[in-house]
Amino acid sequence: MSFVANTDRDRAEMLKVAGFAGVDGLFSDIPADLQIARLNLPDGRSESEVYDRLHNLSHRNAHNLVCFLGGGFYDHYIPACVDELASRAEFYTAYTPYQPEASQGTLQAIFEYQSAICRLTQMEVANASLYDGGTALYEAAMMAVRITGRRKILLDSGVNPIYRNILYCYTSNLSIEFCEVEVSHGQSDRQRIADSLDESVAAIILQNPNFFGGVDDFTDIAALAHAKGALAVVSAYPISLGLLKAPGSMGADIVTGEGQSLGLPLSFGGPYLGFMATRMEYVRKMPGRLVGETTDASGRRGFVLTLQAREQHIRREKAMSNICSNEALCALRASIYLSWLGKQGLRELAMLCAQKAEYAKTRFSAIPGVEVKKTTPTFNEFTLALPCDASVVVSRLVDKGFAAGYPLGRYYKGMGNYLLVAVTEKRTREEMGMLAEAMEAVL
Amino acid sequence: MSFVANTDRDRAEMLKVAGFAGVDGLFSDIPADLQIARLNLPDGRSESEVYDRLHNLSHRNAHNLVCFLGGGFYDHYIPACVDELASRAEFYTAYTPYQPEASQGTLQAIFEYQSAICRLTQMEVANASLYDGGTALYEAAMMAVRITGRRKILLDSGVNPIYRNILYCYTSNLSIEFCEVEVSHGQSDRQRIADSLDESVAAIILQNPNFFGGVDDFTDIAALAHAKGALAVVSAYPISLGLLKAPGSMGADIVTGEGQSLGLPLSFGGPYLGFMATRMEYVRKMPGRLVGETTDASGRRGFVLTLQAREQHIRREKAMSNICSNEALCALRASIYLSWLGKQGLRELAMLCAQKAEYAKTRFSAIPGVEVKKTTPTFNEFTLALPCDASVVVSRLVDKGFAAGYPLGRYYKGMGNYLLVAVTEKRTREEMGMLAEAMEAVL
Amino acid sequence: MSKLIFERSSPGRRAFNLPGLSEAEKSCRLHIPGKYFREQPAELPELSEMEVVRHFVGLSRRNFSVDGQMYPLGSCTMKYNPKICERVAALDGFSSLHPLLPQLRGGGMLTQGALEVLYETEQMLCEIAGMDAFSLQPSAGAHGELTGMMLVAAYHRDKGNRKTRVIIPDSAHGTNPSSAAIAGYSVTTVPTGPDGDIDLGKYEAALGSDVAAVMLTCPNTLGLFERDISRIAAMAHKHDALLYYDGANLNALLGRCRPGDLGFDVVHINLHKTFATPHGGGGPGSGPVGVKKHLVPFLPTSIVVKRADGTFALEYDRAKSIGYIAPFYGNFAVILRAYAYMLLLGGNGMREVSENAVLNANYILAKLKGRYDLPYARQCMHECVFSATRQLAKGVHALDVAKALIDRGIHPPTIYFPLVVKEALMIEPTETESREQMDEFISAMLEIADLAERDPKAFADMPRTTPVSRLDETKAARNMKFSA
Amino acid sequence: MSKLIFERSSPGRRAFNLPGLSEAEKSCRLHIPGKYFREQPAELPELSEMEVVRHFVGLSRRNFSVDGQMYPLGSCTMKYNPKICERVAALDGFSSLHPLLPQLRGGGMLTQGALEVLYETEQMLCEIAGMDAFSLQPSAGAHGELTGMMLVAAYHRDKGNRKTRVIIPDSAHGTNPSSAAIAGYSVTTVPTGPDGDIDLGKYEAALGSDVAAVMLTCPNTLGLFERDISRIAAMAHKHDALLYYDGANLNALLGRCRPGDLGFDVVHINLHKTFATPHGGGGPGSGPVGVKKHLVPFLPTSIVVKRADGTFALEYDRAKSIGYIAPFYGNFAVILRAYAYMLLLGGNGMREVSENAVLNANYILAKLKGRYDLPYARQCMHECVFSATRQLAKGVHALDVAKALIDRGIHPPTIYFPLVVKEALMIEPTETESREQMDEFISAMLEIADLAERDPKAFADMPRTTPVSRLDETKAARNMKFSA
Ligand SMILES: Cc1ncc(COP(=O)(O)O)c(C=O)c1O
Ligand SMILES: Cc1ncc(COP(=O)(O)O)c(C=O)c1O
């Protein structure tokens, strides 16, 4: 099943028109010895057989575990209208809106997405999307390097360790110097940051809430950075912005984050959505596509891709980023999701998550030997100190039907007994109670 | 969550505009003692809670049994494009195309559906749909009564017993006389039919394949009926028409059937799709909506509901039927499905089903004590004679993961040991083998 | 011009792909004699899958719909269809359930989830309608009416009553007299009085011992509450005539007034109206029938019962049942959507429905009554019925008003129904339309009223913005081209 | 004019509905100090769910798309996206899978199904591309390029090579030089020769010991097969420069010719092109990177391995790996669609893809070459690149041709790319377009060519059939209005 429309008869006639004796002639530019007779792959199968195979494979995953896993990726409920609208063929089978008159749907949707991100983060301009929260942070780091002309970056250890790995990976050939600043008691360490900041620093990278779930206000740190001519880059969890101070109002210069929680399924790691917002003064240094408002000849409002001189297809090796295809459909989902929630809904949702997390804490702290780390306030994710190896506990809880959280030992030395637990609006009181009971039982 | 758009403020302003002091005033025509203070129902729940509840309920059904159940309702594969296209909002959130200029999509789709049904059945005109195959057969019976002015109907016992029950139910106040003609050796009994046919008979109702799976050619019976001025009504399984002689070419006057197999999910009994086709001479006696081709002022082709004088909204108590809302979206699905299959696909699909059924027969006939009834040729469904009560066997096979078929004892006296087994293209050789082995084990 | 799918066909094209046969299967010979085969395959269209997709995507774009436009089609309750209801209806555990599965073990043990949905839906409908039991089997409103009439007949037969007539007001929907007739009754029509209620005197005169039932819609199709309903009920019951409720307009009363409390003995409810299941371009619907105690024994086969142990079962053995009105349990996937909708709304949400539906209609009524004639100058319930008589004086018909609305991006109201109103414009905004959207509709209607006065000829070639302009209906009826 | 969603907002409207809290939960106090709270909620739009739905349904109708129109956008391979792939991507068992789940037990034991998908996809891609291993992590083509360049750098670092330059032909897509630069290399551009192949002499001259890699697209962006590919490869390898394959155009070779056999060391493949995953209005995509043996140790972390017992695991501990280029395993749901597509096609179907893609392009080439200038008069592969120079002589630009096509219901080809062709019109029909549809396109192009000769001024106000006409791009750049 190759989805080819034409029949043998069509092909015969077309070959004639095009002046070929046979199909092989079409490939005569390819030296014969470089052609293969056939791929060593099985023949195609029918739709129903392929469905059966994938359906069976889908059942070979423990997706039914009650999910307390977070770590930057959250099990929020996705309203049905997000799926329905984002699966409109006109959206998902279109491509980048190079022809604006034939793409006003996509363009306006992205413009609205950019607007929503600006409002959420309290920043002035947001791009059309980047691959994910991690590469967005890398792009922010490089943007800071471009803006400041400096090559050193301070990195708070509360930033998602996966993202820190991404930063290291991408910059390994670029002589960028990173300086990790350890959190103290789960919170960004002002003293160490102040000590590390100097005129060589391009940016300090922070995360709110940080990887341990801790909530912070980085206004003072941003001020410290600015005093040294450095930028403040903040990676944020968008749902938390329903409740928490926006990075823009803390003085952040670049805000990035993972948009998965905005109506995207977890889907085993992607596609996700990197968002990025900044101040207008930096817009020409920003990577990624950008939609702007304009008018047509009769004055009707319309939208186009703009400031393209930043991009690879115009600037080639001098572009701000090499990104081309981004995550447009994911941005659309986020936009629909945020429109569904609206001003009040996002706030209520954030409250709900926070409140439930507080309840979960009361249940866990009642378990002998378990300590809820309370050094910092938290939003919907928090750290438990267990009396034994967290990864062992977690594995036992899988048998009880729970994905109980993320053991911190993998990325934080000496934290082998610590467990990161996330709570979303989908977790019921009963589920939290059952997890607490199960945990008590397996300890 | 009532999906109401307006806010309290909107409501207050609107009440003022409309001249009401409060909401209660809107209902002042209803005597106060006939109003209630509140419904004794729980408060509304959120979308995610409702989803959870329904998701849980959906798992409390044995839908994963490997399905050899048929009886007129079949587990065919539904191509993904049928779901995707039929769930276009513009189709499913529209209503009956009363305003043709704003409904050309629905109207053309129905016109194409009517065309496909005509081609499938080899009849001249098909209506826009009826509720299901059973009520379609009842409508056909009444149509025959209207056409002939006679009130007696011969009913082959090979007609689906559920449909026979429906015929009896609907006509119980209408002094219609039914005469059931027993099949002999699983096939319509020509002699008995000839003996029962006389000038008082409005129609003979037949089914192909019949309920036992037997395939027939009713040309001779139709001729017998016509000779007595009676109509031949045939209920057909549309997938079988990929291979089998069409009722139209047997001389049938009215053809009906259940369209579920044309891309509709089994969905525990509905919504289904009753189709009906007839000769042009009877079109004014036909129930149901009908779409016809016409043109607009500039000669562009368009489609409208037509011959509405047959219908209730014009003719009221003299209408051909009381049907109003029908199964338009199901007809759309059928039309998409048939377009996906196309001329060759339907034939190949029918072949596939028939061939697989033959294979299944070889497996079952190898089981000691099991006999495959071979008195008539079959299409994709056939009857097994078991050495014991079929319903007991079926219940045991449920534990092995099979819906093994339909025990005939419920509707046919003396057939307690008989099992009706259906095979579709979805059943693999492995599944058929496993069922045969399981059956041998439980006997 | 949009091509027919048959006109896009090209021999040998294929969208289909089917599983192959194993050698073992292939080697089995078909035992069907040649004479049973069809000679030529059916001339279905041959297209690639992409061509099929483009064809139907293209068709869909030639439709107005609730998700695209305001759709104030009176009597049809074109409210928003929540997307979550589509999601639950698609759940595998429901959509792939064979209807004969309950019979394979212990009266439904294999389908407990589905039976619970049916049972709970019935229970909720009983509370909502004030009835004692429901059957969910009817596939639409008219199907419910016919079922109801068969229940009426069974009731009278059981009591030994000889009844031949059904009384129906002249404002009734066509399905009412049609259903009564098809059930074997003759129909007596009673006129509407000057204030839009049934003419009580004529009604009383029409009653008699041969009357099996009185069929009413309430509020009636004029969007007006039948104020004498209690007397109407009492008078019918005096003759042992049953009172039938056409529930098409239940949206007006939801959570505030129950047909059962008004004296109705049999009701049907349109789940595709009041309970937000999508209309599908003309179905599928679902028209459950509810009855008071005295009619319970006659309900269609089967019914869902709850056993003492909390499990659910299907009961088939019911001596007085009218029998099979549907092959199984009704349009299950439609019922499922309605069930989800009811859970979403709850009792509180349902009351909001009627409050807002009625308010919205009265808001439109207030804004338009200066410019369109109101045949019955009363407050309305969930819909308001105007007459285009004033426009007609200039030669502009209700149909013209409708076509002008299409050009303004709004689906027209129901026109020419109810029949008792000349040039009727029957407007039902439903509770889900926003004030802003209604204001747009109102402006459009006022603009149209202006235009009718100023330039009545302008309507002749409307609509102009649609893929086709006004279609020749006479030609369609004459040419009788019903298939390609 | 289509309102912005913010302009449809009305205070207090709500589409959202959220679960309630139990009393126990409610009674828990938040321990977040006031200073951490935001002062004002974000000004997100407030609408009812129906309003949200109508807004986005309305927007969708302002788009061209593959499911709506022919979309011969060169270099983008806008082929049909099979619907079954959407269905499998939506399966709960995949879509609700948390990416950290593999870490909760034994290296992936909780996600065996998902890992099998990844593993098998990699295996199939290896066979298709003739490579030894694949990483599925890159999220798009450009991401794959960057990953590839990082692999190149790691390879040279490991060998102690000192390399600073990457050679790229002038016809290359902008992402190529950009990716090389972002990976830390300087870029040397080599011109295209007169016949559309790379200028071999200049290429040889550009080579040197400091060249880390040569990035090629093949067929190149002119739609022409690079006939000297073997020599190009040999010359690069002589300098220990690696040959990088931009797989954007793999559709031309599928099942017939493998980049690995041509001498490429690193390749990326665009699953959203060759493997039919939908383009989503500009992503998400997926750009897996494949390598020959000598580069395997450097592949990103993690990789999927098959254990001796047949189970699958994620390997993280890889000393020479370049590290994390994505948070997890790539755009899984995109990969899943491509996997399903590969199973559907099989080896035989893939060969049909290239045969038909190339035939379709040559058919269009043959039909249009009389009326549009062909800068390189050779047979093409999967796309053909014309130049509107002849039209330009009359004042009609490639842009005008594009807008005229829009009015004829066809999405324009890629224009002004590749940069080496003046007024480029880059046409890629893909294998899924039918002959009839291409004939429509051809007629439209010929009609446009006629019009350009007859009435070149007619183009100025095209397109006329779209919701907006030509937009003022300068104004957009000047006004810098990027949000509402
Ligand atoms: C008042 C009234 N009664 C009955 C019906 C018939 O309902 P259905 O179309 O579901 O059969 C309708 C349908 O519009 C109606 O408006
Ligand atoms: C030749 C070529 N290379 C690279 C790319 C970049 O691919 P992506 O958009 O997936 O990043 C494209 C995209 O159009 C392309 O055409």
Side-chain angles (χ1 to χ4, degrees), chain A residues 61-121:
Chain A
N61 297 309
H63 70 284
N64 279 327
L65 298 178
V66 180
C67 185
F68 289 89
L69 260 179
F73 311 92
Y74 300 96
D75 181 30
H76 290 288
Y77 179 75
I78 300 175
C81 79
V82 175
D83 281 344
E84 170 139 352
L85 293 169
S87 58
R88 296 268 311 165
E90 293 92 331
F91 283 133
Y92 85 81
T93 74
Y95 193 33
T96 307
Y98 295 122
Q99 294 288 342
E101 304 86 358
S103 315
Q104 283 299 299
T106 293
L107 284 161
Q108 182 174 332
I110 297 175
F111 183 83
E112 291 173 357
Y113 161 80
Q114 292 174 177
S115 306
I117 294 296
C118 287
R119 291 166 183 222
L120 209 54
T121 56

Side-chain angles (χ1 to χ4, degrees), chain A residues 89-171:
Chain A
E90 293 92 331
F91 283 133
Y92 85 81
T93 74
Y95 193 33
T96 307
Y98 295 122
Q99 294 288 342
E101 304 86 358
S103 315
Q104 283 299 299
T106 293
L107 284 161
Q108 182 174 332
I110 297 175
F111 183 83
E112 291 173 357
Y113 161 80
Q114 292 174 177
S115 306
I117 294 296
C118 287
R119 291 166 183 222
L120 209 54
T121 56
Q122 290 184 228
M123 300 297 286
E124 290 167 349
V125 53
N127 72 11
S129 76
L130 297 166
Y131 301 137
D132 68 274
T135 55
L137 199 55
Y138 141 72
E139 292 275 16
M142 296 311 296
M143 181 174 157
V145 167
R146 282 195 298 273
I147 291 170
T148 60
R150 304 174 182 178
R151 305 189 78 80
K152 180 174 170 186
I153 286 173
L154 301 193
L155 190 48
D156 191 278
S157 79
V159 170
N160 193 324
I162 296 173
Y163 291 1
R164 282 183 279 141
N165 279 334
I166 287 177
L167 285 167
Y168 295 139
C169 171
Y170 281 81
T171 54

Side-chain angles (χ1 to χ4, degrees), chain D residues 49 69 112 122 126 152 163 176 178 209 261 347 351 387:
Chain D
E49 186 169 302
Q69 286 85 10
Q112 285 296 300
E122 286 173 14
C126 283
V152 166
K163 304 276 197 175
N176 293 10
S178 177
S209 64
D261 299 341
R351 199 168 162 100
S387 164

Side-chain angles (χ1 to χ4, degrees), chain D residues 54 77 211 239 331 335 371 433 478:
Chain D
R54 283 193 187 153
T77 315
V211 172
H239 294 280
N331 278 347
I335 296 162
R371 304 297 303 284
E433 287 303 333
R478 183 167 18 94

Side-chain angles (χ1 to χ4, degrees), chain B residues 95 324-325, chain C residues 75 140-142 145 173 175 246 248 270 272-273:
Chain B
Y95 192 35
C324 176
S325 290
Chain C
S75 210
E145 295 167 23
H173 192 261
T175 51
D246 174 342
N270 298 54
H272 48 298
K273 297 182 179 176

